[in-house]
Amino acid sequence: MSQCARVNGSCKRCEGDLPFEFTMAFQPIVDLSLAQIVTYEALVRGLRGESAWSVISQVTDDLLYRFDQACRVKAIEMASALDMQTDLSINFLPNAVYEPKACIQATLEVSKRVGWPTHRLIFEITETERVRDRQHLCNIIDAYRSMGFKTALDDFGNGYANLDLLTDLTPDKLKIDRELVMNCDSDFRRQALLNAIILLAQELDMTLIAEGVETRAEALWLGRAGIVRQQGFYFAKPAINSLGTDITPLLMGLKRELPELKSDVETSTGAVNERD
């Protein structure tokens, strides 16, 4: 890992204007047992709602660190302006972090400026390529935890976010990829894999979040299996510059069908429940 370029409070890699503009969309993560939104994930979009790829495709190697910092700052500024009362989840690329405590300074500064509590920040590890330095990623997670942040491993079960990462990494949350969630209400093989992941998360003290939930049947099966934290189009699509519409009636309806459920914060299965 190259030496951090931050000198006298500034960093030539991370600071400066980008040659393009972007905004954020926010998608809720719900807890079925509470019938509440517990987190919003900030997702990059073009100013007119263009896809994340339309923005990310403009990020060259020279702009990677600057873009990563700009996303964090914009997400926190917008969450504060929208009066978000939940946790905020922000994606980050480990390869865009040179030295965790130095590269987090812009995040801390904007949080202080807008009054955003840092304990309500979650950083999602999003990798489109194999992690180049596993120990570096471990150091980032450890450093973030020491500063009061939570971390999540995104897209677990697909691509590069696979089982072997958990031999070294200790994220607070695992976000189960849509590939495993799809048709889980009727697919025996997916049910077997999800049940195994539930046991794994209990043993490793991690909270599970099912991504890509698109049907009521999927949501109910996952809830009955014990995965009460969920995200997907069934609940809400990402809303540009907005927290979206009220989904309380939808969540209350699901909770009535799952009366036996308890939230992570209400159970005593491990320390992960205390963290949430």
Side-chain angles (χ1 to χ4, degrees):
M1 187 59 58
S2 302
Q3 184 177 1
C4 178
R6 193 173 185 88
V7 178
N8 295 327
S10 64
C11 177
K12 63 183 180 181
R13 291 194 187 101
C14 299
E15 297 175 1
D17 295 333
L18 292 166
F20 55 85
E21 295 184 286
F22 66 94
T23 189
M24 289 287 176
F26 295 94
Q27 186 176 32
I29 297 172
V30 305
D31 186 315
L32 297 189
S33 62
L34 298 175
Q36 293 178 0
I37 295 171
V38 292
T39 306
Y40 280 92
E41 180 180 358
L43 299 161
V44 172
R45 293 291 186 270
L47 294 183
R48 294 184 295 276
E50 298 94 337
S51 69
W53 174 246
S54 73
V55 178
I56 295 171
S57 62
Q58 301 178 66
V59 180
T60 63
D61 289 344
D62 290 342
L63 295 174
L64 179 62
Y65 313 100
R66 195 175 303 172
F67 178 67
D68 184 72
Q69 294 289 336
C71 287
R72 299 175 187 223
V73 170
K74 186 174 289 291
I76 294 169
E77 287 178 335
M78 292 182 64
S80 177
L82 292 168
D83 195 28
M84 186 184 295
Q85 298 299 309
T86 67
D87 287 352
L88 171 64
S89 190
I90 302 172
N91 295 306
F92 83 97
L93 295 169
N95 293 331
V97 177
Y98 269 76
E99 200 288 313
K101 292 188 177 180
C103 293
I104 202 66
Q105 292 307 306
T107 303
L108 296 176
E109 289 164 7
V110 69
S111 296
K112 182 178 181 180
R113 172 164 54 82
V114 303
W116 186 270
T118 53
H119 69 270
R120 282 171 47 198
L121 288 176
I122 301 166
F123 288 103
E124 292 191 22
I125 303 162
T126 302
E127 274 287 27
T128 56
E129 60 182 332
R130 185 173 297 278
V131 176
R132 300 171 191 167
D133 185 341
R134 186 78 62 89
Q135 185 56 52
H136 177 61
L137 185 48
C138 292
N139 292 341
I140 294 173
I141 291 175
D142 291 343
Y144 283 3
R145 181 173 290 124
S146 72
M147 290 183 276
F149 305 124
K150 300 183 185 75
T151 57
L153 181 59
D154 199 15
D155 301 325
F156 182 71
N158 193 16
Y160 293 109
N162 280 313
L163 189 65
D164 69 299
L165 282 177
L166 299 182
T167 60
D168 298 311
L169 305 187
T170 57
D172 300 290
K173 304 172 188 292
L174 283 183
K175 299 190 74 177
I176 304 170
D177 189 77
R178 165 69 183 163
E179 185 61 34
L180 294 178
V181 170
M182 178 173 53
N183 300 322
C184 62
D185 56 295
S186 58
D187 188 320
F188 169 76
R189 297 182 71 84
R190 283 184 168 86
Q191 291 174 2
L193 290 168
L194 288 166
N195 283 325
I197 292 173
I198 290 168
L199 293 176
L200 174 69
Q202 291 173 349
E203 289 293 322
L204 296 182
D205 200 19
M206 294 179 293
T207 297
L208 292 177
I209 300 168
E211 293 187 290
V213 178
E214 295 190 357
T215 69
R216 188 177 187 85
E218 290 170 354
L220 289 171
W221 187 90
L222 290 162
R224 292 180 179 124
I227 305 176
V228 297
R229 299 285 176 100
Q230 301 180 19
Q231 178 180 10
F233 284 3
Y234 174 66
F235 304 103
K237 293 183 178 180
I240 305 293
N241 305 329
S242 167
L243 300 183
T245 58
D246 182 15
I247 60 171
T248 302
L250 171 64
L251 298 179
M252 291 300 295
L254 289 168
K255 185 176 181 179
R256 283 193 291 271
E257 294 193 48
L258 301 166
E260 73 282 4
L261 290 186
K262 291 185 178 181
S263 167
D264 285 340
V265 297
E266 297 176 285
T267 60
S268 56
T269 57
V272 66
N273 305 322
E274 298 174 4
R275 286 198 296 268
D276 289 347

